[in-house]
Amino acid sequence: MTKSGQPLNDFRLTARLVHKDTIRYTPAGQTVLECQLEYSGNVVEAGIQRKVELKLLAIAIGQEVKTLDQMQIGGTGNFQGFIAHQSIRRQALVFHITHISI
């Protein structure tokens, strides 16, 4: 919970960009860029080191599209955002990128 009592949905990941689609536009004219991120590393869980590998569908809307579009495939970045369902009909989880540092 945040200080205001709101539930927290804050996701951060250092990952490689492995795929990006073509920029498209929402009906309201916002730029949208979908991509796939890949993470491989070690984490500690319950005191035990564990190797984690994953691929994650992600989407950037608005200002972060420019930064994401400039990234080369295979490039690494620090991504911050939140997790949400892809749509009302598709319950797959998608990482919505709100900030990228390269």
Side-chain angles (χ1 to χ4, degrees):
M1 294 267 188
T2 63
K3 290 180 183 178
S4 65
Q6 293 294 317
L8 184 63
N9 183 351
D10 183 23
F11 187 74
R12 297 167 192 231
L13 184 69
T14 299
R16 281 183 341 111
L17 178 65
V18 293
H19 174 79
K20 60 183 173 182
D21 290 343
T22 303
I23 294 174
R24 62 181 175 84
Y25 295 87
T26 68
Q30 287 283 330
T31 53
V32 176
L33 183 55
E34 293 183 12
C35 66
Q36 188 173 42
L37 303 175
E38 181 178 77
Y39 170 82
S40 179
N42 295 308
V43 297
V44 176
E45 181 179 34
I48 299 169
Q49 192 168 37
R50 174 181 173 186
K51 181 155 182 68
V52 175
E53 294 180 352
L54 63 92
K55 286 186 179 175
L56 182 64
L57 179 61
I59 186 169
I61 300 173
Q63 292 181 319
E64 293 305 317
V65 168
K66 182 177 179 182
T67 305
L68 184 60
D69 191 44
Q70 290 174 349
M71 285 185 71
Q72 298 293 317
I73 299 297
T76 300
N78 295 311
F79 300 89
Q80 182 177 348
F82 62 92
I83 302 289
H85 288 147
Q86 191 167 9
S87 69
I88 293 172
R89 291 188 181 97
R90 297 200 64 207
Q91 295 296 301
L93 296 178
V94 177
F95 177 27
H96 289 253
I97 301 167
T98 58
H99 182 74
I100 304 169
S101 333
I102 301 174

